[in-house]
Amino acid sequence: MTNTEPSEHVVQTFNLSNWGWRVPTESSATEFSATEFSAPESSAPHLLGRVIVQQRDLWLTISQDGELLADLRGRLRTGLAEDMPAVGDFVRLATRPGEGRATIHEVLPRRTCLQRKVAGNETRAQVIAANVDTVLIAVPLDHPVNERLVERQLVVVWESGAVPVIVGTKADADSDRAAHLHQLAFGADVVTVSALAGEGLEALDPWLRHGETLTVIGPSGAGKSTLTNALLGANRMLTQDTRDADGKGRHTTTHRELVKLPDGAMLIDTPGMRELALWDSDSDDGVAAVFDDIAALATQCRFTDCQHQAEPDCAIRQALSDGSLDPNRLQSFRKLQRELSYVEREHDKRLESEERKKWAARSKAHRDSPM
């Protein structure tokens, strides 16, 4: 007997807005609209889809033609690494549903972009997740809180355009550490959960709205996959215990994947990151948001160009003296500023190198052209 039941991916009911698509606020940002691509127009030459899994040179996408494994159009392969499709990206697809395949022709402009400098000495960006609304910063409470890492994570998230939420995981471990998180927040909301016990998860409800996209960042062993499993209501993500000696975990997530939550929100699960180096040379706003207490103190110094070294009437030196400013926090602030200066210099070198290559290519093309 022939099965006449509709397949899992029914064109007539698919709507990409359920996968986070929003009409751009600026008409010039993109030529597409939500209605054009939620309608069952199978004859359209290209479809709008979203990248839901990224693995090396292949991307799993979701569109009105269902889940399709996609490769890249030739010219996209020669672009910058940060322009390659990432999980969360909206892309223009030429689909071949009968083969279960597609080709990505364009990556649409990103509303938000969570990125970092790649680990090591190489100077290029790595996109962690695109078009994310909220970033959950997982901070394990079964070991002392790494304040400097939390500050750095907040800077990266604010600069991405997303909203950070600090999530104290393993909240049953140490209540004093949970209270300490509020002192580090500086404008970010703080919640504490025990994902294994299923406790405190309701505190995340304000950020789990239908069509919203979240991601979780944090070091290995922070409980990211356990938190994802708790939100999913299923053991979909592999988890492993942390090492008791140092609280570090094994990399239980090996690739980036966007998964649907029961309430219609989406969550991008990412591998643990040993390094979170700044990349955006315009991250000053993120630093200012996280260290607004130091910025406020600096306005009270006698001199507007105070270096906070030996100048008279320096509010920052006074705060260090009376204990109202933690010297480690000031050191972290200065370290991030130095890192931003380095990133800006590297960006300038990179742009200069790309410009030289572009003109060299043009010159060669001119020489090779017939007279």
Side-chain angles (χ1 to χ4, degrees):
M1 180 176 178
T2 304
N3 184 4
T4 59
E5 293 184 2
S7 63
E8 180 182 357
H9 303 290
V10 181
V11 171
Q12 287 77 5
T13 62
F14 181 83
N15 192 323
L16 200 61
S17 63
N18 294 331
W19 290 87
W21 170 253
R22 299 175 190 171
V23 178
T25 54
E26 298 181 8
S27 58
S28 60
T30 175
E31 63 187 272
F32 303 118
S33 71
T35 54
E36 285 178 302
F37 285 88
S38 61
E41 299 179 2
S42 58
S43 61
H46 295 108
L47 300 179
L48 186 63
R50 193 172 196 188
V51 176
I52 58 176
V53 178
Q54 177 184 357
Q55 287 186 317
R56 292 187 177 273
D57 296 329
L58 289 174
W59 294 261
L60 184 64
T61 62
I62 183 75
S63 70
Q64 69 179 42
D65 281 347
E67 293 185 1
L68 300 174
L69 200 59
D71 53 16
L72 288 183
R73 183 184 179 187
R75 66 179 181 85
L76 289 180
R77 296 181 180 275
T78 60
L80 299 176
E82 56 264 39
D83 295 332
M84 292 288 192
V87 173
D89 267 326
F90 292 99
V91 294
R92 191 161 59 93
L93 295 166
T95 65
R96 304 184 296 280
E99 303 174 22
R101 303 296 292 257
T103 297
I104 296 173
H105 280 246
E106 180 184 5
V107 178
L108 272 64
R110 294 160 175 156
R111 287 189 295 106
T112 66
C113 183
L114 185 67
Q115 60 185 343
R116 64 167 182 170
K117 176 185 169 296
V118 293
N121 297 323
E122 192 175 357
T123 305
R124 63 179 179 85
Q126 179 186 30
V127 178
I128 301 169
N131 300 305
V132 172
D133 300 292
T134 304
V135 178
L136 306 180
I137 300 175
V139 182
L141 299 178
D142 56 344
H143 283 77
V145 174
N146 186 337
E147 298 180 13
R148 307 289 80 85
L149 176 59
V150 174
E151 291 167 349
R152 177 177 292 271
Q153 291 168 326
L154 284 169
V155 169
V156 171
V157 175
W158 281 122
E159 186 53 37
S160 75
V163 175
V165 177
I166 298 177
V167 182
T169 60
K170 308 174 186 180
D172 51 339
D174 193 312
S175 58
D176 291 336
R177 290 172 185 158
H180 182 54
L181 288 181
H182 291 271
Q183 302 173 19
L184 302 175
F186 290 96
D189 287 294
V190 178
V191 300
T192 55
V193 303
S194 177
L196 277 177
E199 298 175 356
L201 295 173
E202 66 280 355
L204 292 172
D205 287 347
W207 299 281
L208 298 177
R209 295 183 292 269
H210 183 89
E212 297 282 300
T213 303
L214 303 90
T215 191
V216 186
I217 65 172
S220 293
K224 299 186 303 299
S225 292
T226 301
L227 177 60
T228 299
N229 285 335
L231 294 174
L232 280 168
N235 290 325
R236 175 167 177 168
M237 302 299 174
L238 178 65
T239 61
Q240 294 184 20
D241 293 333
T242 57
R243 300 194 298 260
D244 292 335
D246 55 12
K248 294 181 180 179
R250 304 164 183 85
H251 287 278
T252 54
T253 300
T254 57
H255 62 273
R256 293 173 174 83
E257 178 178 0
L258 183 149
V259 293
K260 274 273 195 174
L261 303 180
D263 52 15
M266 289 148 287
L267 191 145
I268 297 176
D269 191 43
T270 64
M273 294 175 286
R274 293 188 177 91
E275 296 183 30
L276 190 61
L278 303 184
W279 170 253
D280 198 327
S281 59
D282 296 323
S283 293
D284 292 38
D285 291 343
V287 173
V290 177
F291 295 91
D292 59 349
D293 55 332
I294 294 179
L297 282 171
T299 63
Q300 301 173 30
C301 295
R302 179 195 291 188
F303 304 107
T304 56
D305 60 347
C306 183
Q307 300 300 304
H308 320 304
Q309 300 294 334
E311 297 88 346
D313 298 329
C314 172
I316 286 181
R317 287 173 52 232
Q318 178 59 41
L320 291 172
S321 178
D322 63 26
S324 58
L325 176 61
D326 182 354
N328 292 323
R329 180 166 170 78
L330 179 61
Q331 183 180 7
S332 177
F333 170 70
R334 286 173 169 165
K335 180 179 180 181
L336 289 171
Q337 283 190 315
R338 290 194 300 271
E339 190 171 331
L340 283 177
S341 296
Y342 169 79
V343 167
E344 186 172 0
R345 290 195 301 271
E346 291 301 310
H347 271 291
D348 291 341
K349 292 179 184 177
R350 189 185 191 201
L351 290 174
E352 183 180 345
S353 174
E354 290 170 0
E355 191 70 12
R356 285 199 304 268
K357 291 177 181 177
K358 180 178 71 175
W359 282 106
R362 288 182 179 178
S363 178
K364 183 178 184 301
H366 177 73
R367 291 194 306 270
D368 295 343
S369 62
M371 297 298 292

